Amino acid sequence: MGGKLDLLSALCLLLCCGSCFGKFVVEKNSLKVTSPDSLKGVYECAIGNFGVPQYGGTLVGTVVYPKSNQKGCKSFHDFDLSFKSKPGGLPTFLLLDRGDCFFTLKAWNAQNGGAAAILVADDKAEPLITMDTPEEGNVDAEYLQNITIPSALITKSLGDSIKKKLSDGEMININLDWTEALPHPDERVEYEFWTNSNDECGSKCESQIEFVKDFKGAAQILEQKGYTQFTPHYITWYCPEAFILSKQCKSQCINHGRYCAPDPEQDFSRGYDGKDVVEQNLRQVCFHKVANESGKPWLWWDYVTDFAIRCPMKEKKYTKECAEHVIQSLGVDLKKINECIGDTEANVDNTVLKNEQDAQIGKGSRGDVTILPTLVINNRQYRGKLDRGAVLKAICAGFQETTEPAICLTSDLQTNECLENNGGCWQDKASNLTACKDTFRGRVCECPVVQGVKFKGDGYTHCEASGALRCGINNGGCWKKSQDGLTFSACTDSSEGCKCPHGFKGDGVNSCEDVDECKEKTACQCPECNCKNTWGSYECSCGGGLLYMREYDTCISGKKGSAEFSGGFSFLWIIILAVAVTGAGYAIYKYRIRRYMDSEIRAIMAQYMPLDNGGGEIPVHNTQRGGLDI
């Protein structure tokens, strides 16, 4: 056990040291201006080879260009300047000019001044370079290891454009992205995850959703056994008072500008708005709060995973109604969650979101949370990729040797989420079928494959058998019933769906009712006919010794009292056949023979031809077995 931990510690140390010496490549599309419209777009920038880039997340902030110390070579405290954001305010990106001192000193002074990131504008038009640390001996290296804010070098033209807009009173919003990630574990097991319900931010959102799916099995085991204490958080910002009545603030904020989120598509004219994201974020916080009060905080992982699958923005399902369906499927009190959410249109503080904004401000050894997603372990921000294995190792490193839970020593996970409420998945209790599966990733809802028959559906609300042999599994989910020695089914292997067999009517799934052909006058309607309804069919007989022909719903002369009649009838049949073949006697064919020319007539007539010398009458009994399951 000790050997495994020593190896883990060595690996973490190696990765962390690697981050100290690694070079940061100039990333295209790593800086995006989201407002104003005149500057909106993606720009190339160079990430500094010092500090701590916010691996695996996106940093959103507003740009400030100081009136004094514009190259940042002196402490901003000397100029009585502070760039630290207030609770709910967007992080500050400090724009400084290149020149006169090392890049690292600019970053150190910006960090001490409260900036969340530093943008250095080049002083001449040239290809971007990587901002590196000073050569040894040229500067006191003590502060270099303490730089934690990210930095980026931008072109002179972009820097000049930003300065011009700021001088005109414009508000500049920028997103910064990083793709690399390295682990930085702490020594405690309390952790929090700062996330977002928005799924339209590209690969970052996709990787965040995938992390939740992959990690939830491990997270739930640790939480259920009391090994960890997990808390989800969501970043929101307030709208500056001067912009509260603007179109942007109204569409991106709730509670009159108090709680805001960026537009998901970075386009105010289409799709969902920032306020839609804030409301869903609030709902997810309240879900955890209510679930925690009921002693099941780990259900948050199921809710967030299921919401991402069932209610994506791309399918226009990112709605309150869809979210509530997910909540109900997990058995959490919807009424309490809605009470927690409150009135998002009211001009009052929301207690839950106000606490979230206060929690963003760093306390103790933990800095401000300004990047999404962020994992905070033991009050320190985890510097690494959102990966199940890496995060689990970071959490497990917080346990003292010999006290680690089993999950920290093996990759095998055992979960039992399907035992309660079927995990919120589809279930057919009558056939003992379920879409719930316990896997190493936790519970997943996937339609099953049973005896080679694949079920199709979303796995949450419905699953339906499909393909050949589907009727052999729960009769394909269709209606089926046996009565009077007969069995009828609405399922056929040759087609999808359910359809009531001939002689029945209904939806084919829940019911098929017998059609009363006699009452509805759809059969046995000739003047001499006597109709009797049966289950799934009918019986029709003829009076006066006549014979009923079902195919043509008529009675024909069929009394067999003497050889003379029988012979005459046979002769008449021969004449009828001859007339029909040659096309003669159209008038007779029109009124009488037109109904008899098919295989059923020949078969029935053949039964009576040998009865020349027979006596008495032959009873007639007809049944129909449409849809009969033999």
Side-chain angles (χ1 to χ4, degrees):
M1 184 182 302
K4 292 183 178 179
L5 285 177
D6 291 341
L7 178 61
L8 175 60
S9 300
L11 176 61
C12 292
L13 179 61
L14 176 63
L15 292 176
C16 290
C17 288
S19 68
C20 299
F21 304 106
K23 297 293 182 180
F24 298 99
V25 180
V26 175
E27 296 281 351
K28 292 185 177 181
N29 303 335
S30 58
L31 184 151
K32 179 187 294 184
V33 177
T34 58
S35 69
D37 289 340
S38 57
L39 280 184
K40 184 182 293 185
V42 176
Y43 298 86
E44 188 179 43
C45 69
I47 306 300
N49 189 21
F50 49 84
V52 182
Q54 307 297 316
Y55 300 117
T58 300
L59 184 61
V60 179
T62 58
V63 181
V64 171
Y65 183 56
K67 296 181 179 179
S68 304
N69 196 26
Q70 293 178 336
K71 292 186 178 180
C73 294
K74 298 179 180 180
S75 173
F76 286 98
H77 295 305
D78 297 340
F79 298 88
D80 198 23
L81 293 175
S82 175
F83 308 106
K84 189 173 181 62
S85 300
K86 297 179 181 179
L90 281 171
T92 299
F93 291 176
L94 186 61
L95 177 63
L96 298 176
D97 294 328
R98 182 180 179 182
D100 291 355
C101 61
F102 293 112
F103 292 120
T104 51
L105 182 59
K106 299 176 187 289
W108 177 244
N109 288 333
Q111 177 177 307
N112 289 335
I118 176 177
L119 302 178
V120 179
D122 207 341
D123 57 356
K124 53 187 174 182
E126 63 178 359
L128 292 173
I129 63 172
T130 297
M131 297 184 293
D132 210 344
T133 56
E135 295 180 5
E136 293 184 8
N138 288 343
V139 69
D140 183 359
E142 182 178 352
Y143 73 86
L144 296 180
Q145 303 303 321
N146 296 321
I147 298 175
T148 58
I149 65 171
S151 59
L153 178 69
I154 62 176
T155 63
K156 183 179 186 300
S157 61
L158 177 59
D160 291 343
S161 297
I162 292 176
K163 294 173 190 176
K164 176 65 168 59
K165 293 298 180 182
L166 288 174
S167 65
D168 293 339
E170 295 273 11
M171 184 177 179
I172 311 293
N173 288 339
I174 286 181
N175 290 2
L176 289 175
D177 261 329
W178 294 267
T179 57
E180 269 187 274
L182 295 173
H184 185 72
D186 198 359
E187 297 179 354
R188 299 174 62 188
V189 293
E190 295 82 11
Y191 70 105
E192 54 193 54
F193 184 45
W194 291 80
T195 182
N196 200 335
S197 63
N198 173 21
D199 62 10
E200 280 285 5
C201 59
S203 60
K204 298 303 175 185
C205 283
E206 294 171 1
S207 63
Q208 178 176 294
I209 292 172
E210 285 303 312
F211 166 73
V212 173
K213 291 179 183 177
D214 291 342
F215 190 67
K216 77 182 185 74
Q220 289 175 328
I221 287 179
L222 290 169
E223 195 80 2
Q224 289 174 14
K225 295 183 179 295
Y227 291 120
T228 61
Q229 182 179 354
F230 166 73
T231 306
H233 286 295
Y234 296 80
I235 292 180
T236 61
W237 301 277
Y238 67 83
C239 185
E241 186 174 354
F243 300 97
I244 288 179
L245 298 180
S246 68
K247 177 182 177 182
Q248 290 85 347
C249 279
K250 287 183 178 180
S251 63
Q252 311 312 310
C253 311
I254 65 173
N255 293 102
H256 290 246
R258 288 176 171 84
Y259 315 104
C260 314
D263 187 277
E265 305 88 1
Q266 303 298 328
D267 189 340
F268 297 132
S269 62
R270 66 181 181 87
Y272 290 96
D273 294 322
K275 66 178 181 181
D276 298 316
V277 176
V278 179
E279 290 178 357
Q280 291 295 352
N281 289 347
L282 175 58
R283 183 169 287 105
Q284 294 189 3
V285 175
C286 287
F287 182 95
H288 180 265
K289 181 176 182 294
V290 174
N292 188 46
E293 291 171 353
S294 66
K296 299 178 181 179
W298 52 84
L299 287 177
W300 177 90
W301 294 89
D302 283 325
Y303 174 65
V304 173
T305 300
D306 293 356
F307 180 80
I309 295 173
R310 299 175 62 178
C311 311
M313 287 182 174
K314 291 181 177 63
E315 297 180 14
K316 308 301 181 183
K317 295 180 180 179
Y318 189 84
T319 63
K320 174 184 177 182
E321 292 73 20
C322 186
E324 291 184 344
H325 285 314
V326 178
I327 293 171
Q328 291 171 334
S329 72
L330 295 173
V332 179
D333 195 325
L334 178 60
K335 181 179 179 182
K336 288 185 179 179
I337 292 176
N338 286 331
E339 290 175 354
C340 171
I341 293 172
D343 184 2
T344 58
E345 298 296 329
N347 188 12
V348 297
D349 287 336
N350 181 290
T351 304
V352 174
L353 290 182
K354 190 174 187 302
N355 290 337
E356 290 294 293
Q357 287 185 343
D358 290 340
Q360 292 175 214
I361 304 302
K363 297 176 179 64
S365 60
R366 197 211 78 185
D368 295 350
V369 177
T370 56
I371 187 172
L372 287 178
T374 288
L375 187 68
V376 178
I377 303 174
N378 304 324
N379 207 36
R380 289 191 179 182
Q381 293 187 18
Y382 163 80
R383 306 297 185 185
K385 184 179 181 180
L386 279 181
D387 173 80
R388 176 187 171 278
V391 171
L392 184 57
K393 288 179 182 178
I395 291 175
C396 289
F399 295 101
Q400 292 183 0
E401 190 172 353
T402 74
T403 66
E404 309 92 343
I407 193 174
C408 292
L409 306 176
T410 177
S411 59
D412 296 328
L413 299 178
Q414 298 294 328
T415 62
N416 296 301
E417 299 171 70
C418 294
L419 297 180
E420 185 174 349
N421 196 35
N422 197 50
C425 304
W426 171 86
Q427 183 180 28
D428 185 343
K429 293 183 179 179
S431 301
N432 195 28
L433 297 177
T434 176
C436 190
K437 296 180 181 179
D438 280 313
T439 73
F440 71 94
R441 295 172 289 137
R443 185 274 288 145
V444 295
C445 296
E446 295 179 354
C447 291
V449 177
V450 182
Q451 299 177 16
V453 177
K454 171 65 178 176
F455 282 72
K456 295 182 179 180
D458 61 11
Y460 294 94
T461 59
H462 76 280
C463 288
E464 180 179 333
S466 63
L469 306 178
R470 71 187 189 95
C471 297
I473 305 296
N474 191 28
N475 199 50
C478 302
W479 172 88
K480 183 179 181 180
K481 187 175 181 180
S482 297
Q483 181 176 313
D484 301 334
L486 303 175
T487 300
F488 288 91
S489 169
C491 181
T492 60
D493 288 329
S494 59
S495 61
E496 300 291 335
C498 304
K499 183 179 181 181
C500 291
H502 186 71
F504 292 88
K505 60 182 179 181
D507 60 14
V509 178
N510 299 310
S511 67
C512 286
E513 298 180 357
D514 173 60
V515 175
D516 189 338
E517 291 85 357
C518 301
K519 184 177 180 179
E520 296 186 5
K521 298 182 179 180
T522 58
C524 197
Q525 295 300 302
C526 60
E528 303 87 354
C529 291
N530 297 315
C531 188
K532 178 184 177 181
N533 187 60
T534 62
W535 187 62
S537 186
Y538 64 95
E539 294 179 359
C540 191
S541 60
C542 300
L546 298 179
L547 179 67
Y548 178 68
M549 309 302 294
R550 173 182 289 271
E551 186 70 18
Y552 302 101
D553 194 32
T554 191
C555 293
I556 63 172
S557 181
K559 186 174 181 180
K560 294 156 284 296
S562 65
E564 178 181 352
F565 170 81
S566 187
F569 189 78
S570 299
F571 180 73
L572 175 61
W573 172 239
I574 294 173
I575 294 176
I576 289 172
L577 290 176
V579 171
V581 172
T582 60
Y586 176 75
I588 298 176
Y589 170 77
K590 178 180 178 181
Y591 294 103
R592 191 78 173 177
I593 307 306
R594 179 176 55 184
R595 299 175 178 268
Y596 307 149
M597 301 305 296
D598 66 9
S599 60
E600 183 173 349
I601 296 177
R602 297 187 184 95
I604 294 175
M605 294 302 298
Q607 295 176 18
Y608 296 94
M609 291 295 288
L611 303 180
D612 291 359
N613 299 319
E617 297 184 0
I618 296 179
V620 178
H621 179 75
N622 295 283
T623 60
Q624 181 181 4
R625 283 175 168 77
L628 179 63
D629 184 8
I630 300 177

